[in-house]
Amino acid sequence: MSRTAPSAAPASAVSPAVLAARTAVAVVFTLNGLAVATWFSRVPAVRDALGLSAGRLGLLLLAMSVGALLAMPTAGLVAQRLGTARTVALGSAFVATGLAVAGVATAAGLLPGVAVGLCAFGYGSGICDVAMNVEGAVVERRLGRTIMPRFHAAWSLGSVAGAGLGAGAARLGVPVAAHLAALAVVVLLGTLLAVRSFLPAADGGTSASAAPAERRRDLLAAWREPRTLLIGLLVLVAAFAEGSANDWLAVAFIDGYDLSEAAGAAVFGVFVVGMTLGRTVGTVALDRWGRVRVLSGTILLATLGAGVAVLAGSGPVAIAGVALWGIGASLGFPVGMSAAADDEQRAPARVSVVAVIGYTAFLAGPPLLGLLGDRVGTLHALLVVPLLLLPTLALVPATRPPRHPAVPSTGSPTLPPTGGPVDREPTAGHPGGRQPGR
């Protein structure tokens, strides 16, 4: 049986505070994407400056993932304790500091210093990731329609800007240290201004008043919820499909298709443009056809695109594959985060669990692809992506919204579960349509 999706809240019914929070969340996502893409666009320059092989570069990139995974297990607790605004501000300070340190250490030829900077960068990004997704889920619910993918599209727009600036900086010979330090200042100041418009803690559903023991119990309980764990596995593969392109796409095309550093950064930009397009259009598709159908289609598209990018043998055809890969990989991560936050009172704990599982891809991905790259070349190592994507189709039904979403404790009217309107997929008798243990 299909259900009719409720209409979105009329614009006149949405408070100015929610609209301001929507803009603020989009700005934070954009700046975070700008920071991440700025780093990845200069990875080839860092590799050359430090004289790293593919395997050693993979181990260096691992430092960023280690920092993120150190942050993830407690990021939900921090967000509940400090509120999303202060948590994002704290994470941004780590991001800016780590970015600047990595740049300066690259200029000095200090590999351990770059690793320390990347670890701080990853730690701050991990904290930001959980807190800004929790805030975005609450704003989405207050608006009453799907908007989370557009927040991630804002992240992708920031990535496009970062990739473009990186390609320009590489072409003009701008030193890595100067480039990264300047962007660090922009990201930090912009984030501190944006978080001032986040929703107050009472409206953010972060349960700041809950006792520490209660918050810890919520987090441990989330690790025993089958639906949360299945969503986490889906996000893990989605993160691998996205993160492998972030880490290796520019290097793979430079090595595999004999492109210049600037051209390799531009290819990465094509991927990010595809991600941005998919996330912008994806909100309409999700409201019309539901999470399960749309995610199944995009996963198949990403599988096709990644295979073409590696096996095409022709630069232009491979770049077309990169665009399809970006479009196809665009929705897995944001929809997974929305699904984890369907119950806003338990959202921080569940988003934290899903983020920990998902970021395991960023931990395992760089060294795995780096070691494979030493044996088969960095380009052909990317064939791991389509091989992992296809089995993920079995996990997609777990993203269906719960049939009976919890009522917010603030007493506000019950709006559609995070992810906008109720999913149109049939749910009667389907385990993905219920919320086991949640």
Side-chain angles (χ1 to χ4, degrees), residues 10-33:
S12 59
V14 179
S15 71
V18 172
L19 296 177
R22 178 190 62 186
T23 301
V25 173
V27 169
V28 168
F29 270 87
T30 301
L31 291 172
N32 188 263

Side-chain angles (χ1 to χ4, degrees), residues 60-353:
L60 175 62
L61 295 174
L62 182 64
M64 186 174 174
S65 301
V66 168
L69 281 177
L70 288 175
M72 290 294 179
T74 57
L77 299 177
V78 174
Q80 287 179 311
R81 177 65 177 172
L82 299 181
T84 52
R86 285 189 288 178
T87 302
V88 169
L90 175 65
S92 181
F94 274 98
V95 166
T97 301
L99 197 60
V101 169
V104 172
T106 297
L110 298 174
L111 180 60
V114 177
V116 170
L118 289 182
C119 188
F121 188 176
Y123 185 85
S125 186
I127 291 176
C128 278
D129 197 283
V130 171
M132 68 188 186
N133 274 286
V134 169
E135 180 73 10
V138 175
V139 170
E140 183 177 60
R141 184 175 290 103
R142 298 295 183 263
L143 291 172
R145 58 186 175 84
T146 303
I147 197 172
M148 182 70 87
R150 291 194 177 178
F151 290 143
H152 286 259
W155 191 96
S156 297
L157 284 172
S159 296
V160 170
L165 290 172
R171 187 175 184 84
L172 296 173
V174 176
V176 172
H179 182 194
L180 298 188
L183 262 295
V185 173
V186 171
V187 168
L188 179 59
L189 293 180
T191 302
L192 293 178
L193 288 174
V195 297
R196 297 171 64 183
S197 296
F198 275 21
L199 291 172
D203 292 333
T206 54
S207 305
S209 61
E214 181 181 349
R215 292 195 293 268
R216 287 193 293 271
R217 282 196 300 271
D218 284 346
L219 181 60
L220 292 174
W223 279 102
R224 298 191 295 270
E225 296 167 354
R227 180 176 182 261
T228 300
L229 297 178
L230 290 175
I231 292 170
L233 290 176
L234 173 66
V235 170
L236 184 150
V237 179
F240 184 84
E242 179 181 348
S244 59
N246 290 339
D247 287 338
W248 291 106
L249 195 56
V251 173
F253 269 66
I254 290 170
D255 294 346
Y257 289 100
D258 197 25
L259 301 183
S260 66
E261 181 190 333
V267 171
F268 172 59
V270 170
F271 175 82
V272 176
V273 168
M275 294 277 292
T276 305
L277 177 63
R279 286 169 173 173
T280 302
V281 177
T283 58
V284 178
L286 287 163
D287 284 343
R288 183 175 179 84
W289 293 299
R291 291 173 178 168
V292 174
R293 293 178 184 176
V294 173
L295 280 183
S296 297
T298 54
I299 287 171
L300 290 173
L301 189 62
T303 302
L304 173 64
V308 169
V310 175
L311 300 175
S314 165
V317 176
I319 292 172
V322 169
L324 294 178
W325 181 359
I327 294 170
S330 63
L331 294 179
F333 198 95
V335 172
M337 289 297 183
S338 275
D342 276 335
D343 177 357
E344 80 176 49
Q345 294 304 313
R346 312 253 339 245
R350 287 168 177 161
V351 170
S352 181
V353 168

